[in-house]
Amino acid sequence: MLEMIKNLFSYTDWATPRVIGSLKTLPPGHDTPIKPFAHLLLAEKIWLLRLTGHDSSVVSPEGDLSLAECEALAEENRKGYASYLNSIDEAGLDRILHYKNTKGVEFHTPIKEVLLHLAFHCSYHRGQVASSVRRDGGTAVNTDYITFVRESAERH
């Protein structure tokens, strides 16, 4: 399971720069697609804070970020998750994470389920970004998992 989760985070690491590149194709004044991407990155940050035992209430999942701020946060998240995933073992995936959601409601969830949620949440919002980029006159990019798999196979 840990290797599969690490692979899903490698997929996110592959997709994120592609999304950033796509956002850079937007005509001036068309920054609406940045909002769901910012949400995706802020949610990643919130979950990383929770996973590492820090207070996540200091971050709002609905913050407005510029594309440059998104790029910086994406890199921060990438490094944070790489470090986190390298610090846990297979048994650690079954540990229960105790946390409060953004409304203050307490939950208890196995870490593996949180990490899988993150992978799916990111994929969902990348689809929103692609649709919005296309609608606003930019060039949408393919971030399908199968494309990642094919490109990864070509590199090996």
Side-chain angles (χ1 to χ4, degrees):
M1 176 69 80
L2 183 57
E3 285 308 309
M4 182 188 76
I5 289 172
K6 285 182 177 182
N7 187 56
L8 289 173
F9 276 81
S10 292
Y11 163 51
T12 293
D13 294 345
W14 168 87
T16 298
R18 294 172 69 100
V19 172
I20 291 169
S22 177
L23 290 168
K24 289 180 178 179
T25 70
L26 288 167
H30 290 273
D31 58 357
T32 305
I34 295 173
K35 190 161 185 75
F37 187 58
H39 166 74
L40 174 163
L41 296 169
L42 290 164
E44 282 183 335
K45 176 70 175 180
I46 288 167
W47 281 111
L48 184 60
L49 288 168
R50 292 172 181 162
L51 287 163
T52 56
H54 295 92
D55 179 14
S56 65
S57 69
V58 298
V59 178
S60 168
E62 303 305 325
D64 285 325
L65 301 178
S66 68
L67 185 52
E69 290 169 320
C70 285
E71 283 186 271
L73 183 54
E75 181 59 15
E76 179 185 325
N77 288 346
R78 185 193 65 74
K79 288 178 181 176
Y81 279 103
S83 177
Y84 178 76
L85 290 171
N86 286 326
S87 74
I88 63 171
D89 58 14
E90 199 72 35
L93 292 175
D94 291 322
R95 264 194 12 246
I96 303 297
L97 179 66
H98 303 272
Y99 62 95
K100 290 182 181 178
N101 70 5
T102 57
K103 294 177 177 68
V105 178
E106 190 168 328
F107 290 93
H108 313 283
T109 309
I111 287 173
K112 67 183 168 200
E113 303 299 344
V114 168
L115 294 171
L116 289 171
H117 162 72
L118 271 162
F120 297 132
H121 182 257
C122 290
S123 186
Y124 171 78
H125 286 297
R126 283 193 298 267
Q128 285 183 321
V129 171
S131 293
S132 190
V133 164
R134 191 176 298 110
R135 183 192 63 234
D136 286 2
T139 304
V141 65
N142 176 347
T143 58
D144 288 345
Y145 178 76
I146 197 66
T147 304
F148 162 73
V149 169
R150 291 172 184 152
E151 289 184 11
S152 295
E154 290 171 6
R155 286 191 298 267
H156 292 92

